Amino acid sequence: MMMTDERNEELFRAMIESARRQAPAPGDDLFDRVMADADREIASRARAVVRCRPRRSAASVLLAVLGGWGAVGSMTVAALVGLWVGVFPPDGLAALSPALLGGETVAVPLTGADALTGLEDML
Amino acid sequence: MSADPLQDSQSDEALLAAYARGERDAARALSRRLLPRVLGQAQRMLGDRAEAEDVAQEAMLRLWRIAPDWEADRAKVTTWLYRVVANLCTDRLRKSGRGVALDAVPEPADTGPSVAAGMQDRDRHMALRAALADLPERQARAVALRHLEDLPNPEVARIMGESVRTVESLVARGKKGLIARLRGRKAELGYDDDR
């Protein structure tokens, strides 16, 4: 019985050793196929990302061009302040105007019918 | 296949993460490192070069596909690949039944002593393949990983997702089953000549 076990073990070892001697080196052809698969996977992932990206509306493109919501907010505040200063000029502004406009004081009302008259005088 | 020392110093997992970010060179480094091992494992289980190459390519393709979802705390890449190759090979063994017929495997044209020894190795390997194909799949995987790949039982257990005790049992039963299937073919396989 013991002898049989030993011989079985030897048989098993001989068979395993035959298989273990198989240690093939991958050829260039297999390597190229594997790399082609890797490249295809990178490309298909890139395509999937593009497909998943939502289409942008004209308004969102304009918003991006202007610099986003932060920039648009700043521009709006600046416009409102400018309008406010035009309609209700602060006291100091009247004294500053002659220096800026070559010594002449020109009043340009932003409201009322004679606004263009003031512009003609200035020209 | 020129070596890149920087990439060669990185772990498999770091290279796989780099590949997931689209770095092609990382795939090249991983292939250079892992493909010989993957092909060798498949060849030892299947005994057929063309089939082993198909399995190796399929295993590497699965690696490329899982790369974006690879979790850092997951098992090592090599552990994962051992499992994938073992599974692919046992699938093929099961589908091919008793395995590839000896006549279907090309014989070397030369006929020297080394060629005769090579043919004997081939015959034994085909007989081993047929015996592995005949075993229950888990036993076949356990025996192949333990004895053909020479991995310790705890590593086989990690690869198979089993306990060490279960692996010990699978290996023991698988080995016994292989011997029972091979015993009757000793003379045919030239085993008695070795004694």
Side-chain angles (χ1 to χ4, degrees):
Chain A
M1 182 66 182
M2 188 70 83
M3 190 64 185
T4 307
D5 286 347
E6 282 176 13
R7 295 196 61 165
N8 285 342
E9 184 68 27
E10 282 180 42
L11 169 68
F12 180 75
R13 285 279 144 219
M15 303 298 288
I16 292 292
E17 288 306 319
S18 296
R20 275 196 195 162
R21 280 193 279 273
Q22 308 272 328
D28 289 344
D29 181 52
L30 175 61
F31 192 86
D32 291 346
R33 272 164 29 215
V34 167
M35 282 307 297
D37 285 343
D39 290 342
R40 259 193 300 276
E41 286 303 308
I42 288 179
S44 71
R45 281 207 299 275
R47 279 197 299 274
V49 168
V50 170
R51 273 200 302 274
C52 290
R53 194 174 290 159
R55 295 187 65 180
R56 304 174 77 186
S57 65
S60 67
V61 171
L62 178 64
L63 187 65
V65 169
L66 292 174
W69 281 113
V72 170
S74 303
M75 287 165 62
T76 305
V77 169
L80 289 172
V81 168
L83 184 64
W84 181 264
V85 168
V87 176
F88 304 105
D91 293 341
L93 196 61
L96 188 62
S97 296
L100 293 174
L101 296 173
E104 290 185 32
T105 302
V106 179
V108 182
L110 294 176
T111 56
D114 56 347
L116 291 178
T117 308
L119 280 177
E120 285 168 2
D121 291 346
M122 190 172 70
L123 295 172
Chain B
M1 279 195 244
S2 62
D4 179 339
L6 187 64
Q7 287 185 332
D8 286 349
S9 66
Q10 293 189 49
S11 70
D12 297 339
E13 292 72 27
L15 285 172
L16 191 61
Y19 169 72
R21 293 192 297 272
E23 292 180 26
R24 185 177 189 273
D25 286 347
R28 179 171 289 276
L30 270 177
S31 300
R32 203 168 43 234
R33 189 184 296 177
L34 300 174
L35 193 52
R37 189 189 306 201
V38 167
L39 179 64
Q41 183 189 355
Q43 173 75 26
R44 286 185 285 276
M45 277 190 83
L46 298 172
D48 179 77
R49 177 65 185 246
E51 277 191 288
E53 289 199 356
D54 285 349
V55 165
Q57 186 180 357
E58 175 64 24
M60 294 302 288
L61 177 60
R62 291 188 184 192
L63 182 63
W64 306 143
R65 285 184 174 157
I66 204 171
D69 303 320
W70 188 268
E71 294 159 19
D73 56 351
R74 192 189 280 227
K76 289 165 60 181
V77 170
T78 47
T79 302
W80 184 87
L81 270 176
Y82 270 127
R83 175 164 59 240
V84 169
V85 173
N87 290 351
L88 287 171
C89 287
T90 45
D91 282 350
R92 280 187 176 250
L93 289 173
R94 193 189 62 232
K95 284 173 187 163
S96 66
R98 296 277 301 168
V100 173
L102 278 180
D103 295 345
V105 181
E107 292 186 10
D110 197 3
T111 52
S114 63
V115 174
M119 286 171 63
Q120 187 177 71
D121 266 358
R122 184 205 61 164
D123 291 352
R124 287 178 175 182
H125 203 168
M126 287 299 103
L128 183 65
R129 173 193 167 122
L132 275 174
D134 219 21
L135 284 182
E137 282 186 32
R138 286 165 73 227
Q139 288 182 28
R141 279 178 212 145
V143 170
L145 289 167
R146 175 70 188 90
H147 291 289
L148 293 180
E149 301 309 308
D150 202 20
L151 297 172
N153 282 336
E155 177 67 5
V156 176
R158 267 193 295 277
I159 291 166
M160 294 184 64
E162 308 273 7
S163 70
V164 175
R165 189 181 289 266
T166 302
V167 164
E168 286 170 354
S169 168
L170 287 170
V171 169
R173 283 183 286 145
K175 182 177 172 180
K176 195 172 169 185
L178 279 184
I179 289 171
R181 286 163 176 80
L182 294 168
R183 208 162 31 206
R185 304 179 65 181
K186 276 183 187 173
E188 173 195 347
L189 298 170
Y191 175 66
D192 288 337
D193 294 343
D194 288 350
R195 300 185 54 78

